[in-house]
Amino acid sequence: MQCFGAEYLVSAESAPRQREWRPQIYRKCTDKTWLFLFFLFWTGLMFITGYSVVAGAVGRLLFGYDSFGNVCGKKNSPVEGAPLSGQDMTLKKHVFFMNSCNLEIKDVRLNSIVLCVSSCPEEQLDTLEEVQLFANNNGSFLCIYSLNSFDYTRNPNADSLCPRLPVPPSKSFPLFNRCIPQTPECYSLFASVLVNDVDSLHRILSGIMSGRDTILGLCILALALSLAMMFTFRFISTLLVHIFISLVILGLLFVCGVLWWLYYDYTSDLSTELDTERENMKCLLGFAIVSTVITAVLLILIFVLRKRIKLTVELFQVTNRAISSSPFLLLQPLWTFAILIFFWVLWVAVLLSLGTAGAAQVIEGGQVEYKPLSGIQYMWWYHLIGLIWTSEFILACQQMTIAGAVVTCYFNRNKNDPPDHPILSSLSVLCCYHQGTVIKGSFLITLVRIPRIILIYVYNTVKEKRNAWSKCVFRCCFCCFWSLDKYLRHLNQDAYTTTAINGTDFCTSARDALRILSKNSSQLTSINCFGDFIIFLGKVLVVCFTVFGGLMAFNYNRALQVWTIPLLLAAFFAYLVAHSFLSVFETVLDVLFLCFVVDLETNDGSSGKPYLMDQEFLSFVERSSKLNDARAQKDGNLLRNEEGTELRPIVR
């Protein structure tokens, strides 16, 4: 690591001079304090990870456990004071409720004894003799472990030690391996308790696990659509832009129509009795309203900007020429995505372990329940901050790497001798000199997102006490934080680009970027925003087709499954994947325009200081931003390029 006082010169300039724009000349390690703080923060995360491994029991959550502290499908250790604990449940992988038709939750506990069984009864058992016969034939014992199957019909207390008769037929369902009763009456009561009344974490995980195959398929679909969209932007033409916009319009209208049709189908279905179905109906209404508003806004914007299609083609052709100098930039989202997936899997595993970190406590009847350990909720918040900060840091590293590669190629004076391995060079500079800068930038994003999460938590906590005034205040605050988040993300990108150019720290880079861009013409900003809008439409198209596939898939199992969470997860993943791949074009656009302004600041077009931009890029900016009139009004000293194009430095 060279971040402890190291400095080096990129060019032959002898010593650092007074700070000014000096592309690729001087570089030193920046924001070292933030690198040290991030190291300390991750030390705390490692402590939480170790603690969760020691104190947690993910098996209880994933595989289910009985009323005596035994995890189903596992060999268990005994709990002191619980004689029926510590049993080998390797062959007993299913969770069976002895009173599945009359489940209730009292004092956060089920009123039914839960057992681990080897198989669920697929036929109704009306008598204890049939329960005994089922145990002898299938090896699945439905009574308390201490009661031998031969005593099912002879023990006078068998009625309280065996399941309540009749035992309904049940089927194993991927809902934590529970035996789900199949008769309509028991099914309705069972689902209303276990699906609607369990805690939020179990409910979220149950929705994900029950729809895991569909979610996986939707994620693969989103990945394929994102790759297709990336190559569409790479080889874009006027015809492709027309086809692309037509697909966006059709996709928006189609998804919007399907949502309203499904909502009408739910409302006209008289058999909608479960809370899960009613909740799905409410979520469909919310999805339909939101999608309708988004569709209307986007259609208006597309109509207003329809005359800029030719400009769009030229814009992406300029971007593609920059990418062609370093084509492996398109592969940057792959390693970023792989690192994010690895980190998220690790984060979820630690979260599950923290959720099951509890001390076994013996209650009446030798049963066992687990009490959360003290202080565990503070670890959850620390773990959540770690998720946001580290994820933003990984994404910022991608932005910094792309910015460094584009800057290296742009400010290369010998266009006939392009730099070797610009991506690896940019990555090495990031790792050796500018990790503290991306850590500081990602922390600012984290600092804005945490109040948004707290607002959502408070808003949901005081659900019953909300009024119109409080709703308005919450929404205004949330909107303000969202706007600040968007502004900081754009500021961070400009700061990272300036750091890649000048080698300065985050605050200095952000100030320099704001200063030079504030003197830039508004036309350049409008061009950049228009390009970002087209890229955003590409993300919308990916999400539209993914959500449509999810609606069709989840609608076939609308009764027990609350598919709101799986669908939202699939939509979030689709947008994340599309954003990861298409953000390459967005980042290159932002970097190119900032490099263009810096080029005008550091060069004057003379033979000694020629402009480093391509002539096509220069012609494109001049045509689209109409800089001639603005320059003629502000300054009579005009510069001319080789072809007689008038150009004025934006900053002096």
Side-chain angles (χ1 to χ4, degrees):
M1 179 65 65
Q2 303 183 37
C3 270
F4 295 96
E7 302 177 357
Y8 83 99
L9 297 176
V10 180
S11 73
E13 192 172 12
S14 59
R17 55 184 175 179
Q18 186 177 1
R19 187 175 61 79
E20 59 183 8
W21 289 99
R22 49 188 191 281
Q24 301 285 290
I25 292 178
Y26 177 71
R27 195 169 302 280
K28 64 178 181 179
C29 186
T30 54
D31 298 299
K32 292 176 282 189
T33 303
W34 284 92
L35 181 61
F36 179 70
L37 290 176
F38 194 63
F39 174 78
L40 291 181
F41 181 82
W42 256 90
T43 302
L45 284 181
M46 289 295 99
F47 170 78
I48 291 178
T49 301
Y51 178 82
S52 66
V53 171
V54 175
V58 183
R60 291 205 312 267
L61 186 63
L62 296 180
F63 304 109
Y65 59 98
D66 63 14
S67 299
F68 308 102
N70 300 298
V71 178
C72 300
K74 302 289 182 180
K75 190 174 182 179
N76 299 275
S77 302
V79 178
E80 185 178 356
L84 297 181
S85 63
Q87 300 194 35
D88 186 359
M89 298 294 181
T90 306
L91 301 178
K92 300 179 178 180
K93 301 180 179 180
H94 303 280
V95 181
F96 175 74
F97 298 86
M98 294 178 60
N99 191 13
S100 59
C101 289
N102 296 280
L103 283 182
E104 291 182 9
I105 293 182
K106 296 180 179 179
D107 299 328
V108 202
R109 289 206 311 265
L110 287 172
N111 65 339
S112 173
I113 295 178
V114 183
L115 302 176
C116 294
V117 298
S118 57
S119 62
C120 303
E122 297 182 356
E123 297 181 358
Q124 181 167 303
L125 307 177
D126 296 310
T127 62
L128 289 176
E129 287 78 8
E130 293 181 0
V131 174
Q132 185 182 49
L133 182 63
F134 175 78
N136 295 332
N137 293 338
N138 298 278
S140 184
F141 305 97
L142 306 182
C143 297
I144 297 294
Y145 305 134
S146 58
L147 184 63
N148 192 289
S149 61
F150 297 105
D151 296 329
Y152 283 4
T153 57
R154 293 184 291 183
N155 193 305
N157 298 322
D159 291 338
S160 60
L161 300 176
C162 291
R164 177 175 295 186
L165 300 175
V167 179
S170 58
K171 182 180 179 181
S172 180
F173 191 78
L175 190 65
F176 300 109
N177 297 322
R178 289 186 173 94
C179 293
I180 307 298
Q182 299 300 300
T183 57
E185 299 82 5
C186 292
Y187 174 79
S188 177
L189 293 172
F190 183 89
S192 64
V193 172
L194 286 189
V195 177
N196 296 294
D197 294 333
V198 293
D199 62 278
S200 300
L201 179 61
H202 280 223
R203 193 172 180 183
I204 293 173
L205 292 176
S206 65
I208 295 174
M209 290 187 66
S210 58
R212 60 184 183 274
D213 295 335
T214 305
I215 294 174
L216 179 61
L218 293 175
C219 291
I220 295 174
L221 174 63
L223 182 61
L225 291 172
S226 299
L227 288 172
M229 196 60 55
M230 184 176 65
F231 283 105
T232 299
F233 283 133
R234 181 68 178 88
F235 305 102
I236 202 164
S237 64
T238 304
L239 177 61
L240 280 177
V241 171
H242 282 92
I243 296 175
F244 166 71
I245 293 178
S246 300
L247 286 176
V248 171
I249 295 174
L250 290 176
L252 288 170
L253 295 175
F254 193 63
V255 169
C256 194
V258 168
L259 284 169
W260 283 111
W261 174 76
L262 286 176
Y263 175 70
Y264 174 77
D265 187 48
Y266 265 85
T267 55
S268 60
D269 188 0
L270 299 178
S271 62
T272 302
E273 297 179 355
L274 291 177
D275 288 345
T276 55
E277 295 176 290
R278 287 192 288 269
E279 182 170 339
N280 288 337
M281 185 173 63
K282 292 179 182 178
C283 291
L284 272 176
L285 178 60
F287 288 156
I289 294 174
V290 172
S291 65
T292 302
V293 173
I294 294 176
T295 300
V297 173
L298 290 180
L299 289 180
I300 293 173
L301 289 175
I302 291 173
F303 178 78
V304 171
L305 301 173
R306 70 189 185 281
K307 295 182 179 180
R308 293 202 172 191
I309 291 179
K310 185 178 180 180
L311 181 65
T312 303
V313 176
E314 294 180 6
L315 179 65
F316 281 99
Q317 286 175 349
V318 169
T319 305
N320 287 327
R321 275 193 291 273
I323 293 177
S324 63
S325 62
S326 184
F328 287 104
L329 281 176
L330 296 177
L331 300 180
Q332 287 303 298
L334 291 178
W335 68 262
T336 303
F337 181 70
I339 295 175
L340 281 174
I341 289 296
F342 173 78
F343 170 67
W344 289 341
V345 169
L346 176 64
W347 187 87
V348 170
V350 175
L351 176 66
L352 294 179
S353 297
L354 285 177
T356 56
Q361 182 177 356
V362 181
I363 57 177
E364 68 276 1
Q367 298 184 32
V368 176
E369 68 176 6
Y370 292 90
K371 294 291 185 181
L373 299 176
S374 59
I376 203 72
Q377 58 182 351
Y378 301 109
M379 292 187 181
W380 287 343
W381 281 105
Y382 192 94
H383 195 53
L384 177 62
I385 296 173
L387 169 69
I388 301 173
W389 194 1
T390 306
S391 299
E392 294 296 337
F393 168 73
I394 295 172
L395 293 174
C397 286
Q398 173 180 297
Q399 291 178 309
M400 189 74 171
T401 302
I402 295 175
V406 174
V407 165
T408 301
C409 296
Y410 186 98
F411 289 102
N412 176 40
R413 290 193 175 274
N414 188 358
K415 300 299 181 181
N416 296 324
D417 184 20
D420 296 329
H421 312 296
I423 297 177
L424 292 179
S425 175
S426 176
L427 189 60
S428 64
V429 169
L430 165 64
C431 294
C432 295
Y433 296 96
H434 301 313
Q435 288 190 66
T437 298
V438 294
I439 288 171
K440 187 173 183 178
S442 57
F443 178 77
L444 290 179
I445 302 296
T446 306
L447 205 61
V448 174
R449 295 190 68 179
I450 290 175
R452 292 172 58 189
I453 295 175
I454 295 176
L455 276 176
I456 295 174
Y457 175 77
V458 173
Y459 185 74
N460 293 328
T461 302
V462 298
K463 184 186 303 183
E464 299 178 355
K465 301 179 181 179
R466 292 188 305 217
N467 52 36
W469 184 84
S470 62
K471 289 181 181 179
C472 180
V473 171
F474 273 113
R475 289 171 182 171
C476 290
C477 293
F478 189 82
C479 182
C480 291
F481 280 115
W482 180 83
S483 302
L484 181 60
D485 178 86
K486 294 300 179 183
Y487 173 76
L488 283 179
R489 288 183 185 278
H490 188 71
L491 176 65
N492 281 2
Q493 178 61 68
D494 293 336
Y496 298 151
T497 304
T498 306
T499 298
I501 295 174
N502 275 348
T504 49
D505 59 75
F506 180 85
C507 291
T508 302
S509 298
R511 183 170 60 252
D512 290 345
L514 284 176
R515 185 176 299 163
I516 196 170
L517 289 175
S518 65
K519 298 179 181 179
N520 188 14
S521 64
S522 60
Q523 286 87 353
L524 278 180
T525 305
S526 66
I527 299 171
N528 200 358
C529 293
F530 180 70
D532 292 343
F533 175 70
I534 295 297
I535 295 172
F536 175 73
L537 289 182
K539 302 173 188 177
V540 170
L541 184 62
V542 173
V543 175
C544 280
F545 280 98
T546 304
V547 169
F548 171 71
L551 287 172
M552 294 296 98
F554 287 123
N555 188 53
Y556 286 105
N557 190 13
R558 61 168 65 176
L560 178 62
Q561 183 178 350
V562 181
W563 47 258
T564 306
I565 294 171
L567 184 61
L568 285 175
L569 183 64
F572 171 76
F573 182 85
Y575 182 82
L576 182 66
V577 172
H579 175 74
S580 298
F581 282 94
L582 299 183
S583 63
V584 174
F585 295 91
E586 193 173 357
T587 303
V588 171
L589 273 176
D590 294 337
V591 175
L592 276 178
F593 281 112
L594 184 56
C595 289
F596 169 79
V597 178
V598 175
D599 193 10
L600 294 179
E601 162 71 9
T602 56
N603 301 300
D604 55 12
S606 63
S607 58
K609 286 187 175 183
Y611 292 122
L612 299 177
M613 65 191 79
D614 294 329
Q615 289 300 320
E616 288 130 357
F617 185 28
L618 182 61
S619 300
F620 164 75
V621 173
E622 185 190 27
R623 285 195 310 273
S624 56
S625 60
K626 299 179 181 178
L627 290 174
N628 289 335
D629 293 338
R631 286 194 300 272
Q633 293 175 2
K634 295 182 180 179
D635 197 343
N637 299 324
L638 302 177
L639 298 174
R640 293 182 176 272
N641 62 1
E642 298 176 2
E643 300 176 0
T645 303
E646 295 180 345
L647 196 65
R648 177 183 63 87
I650 294 180
V651 184
R652 284 292 186 186

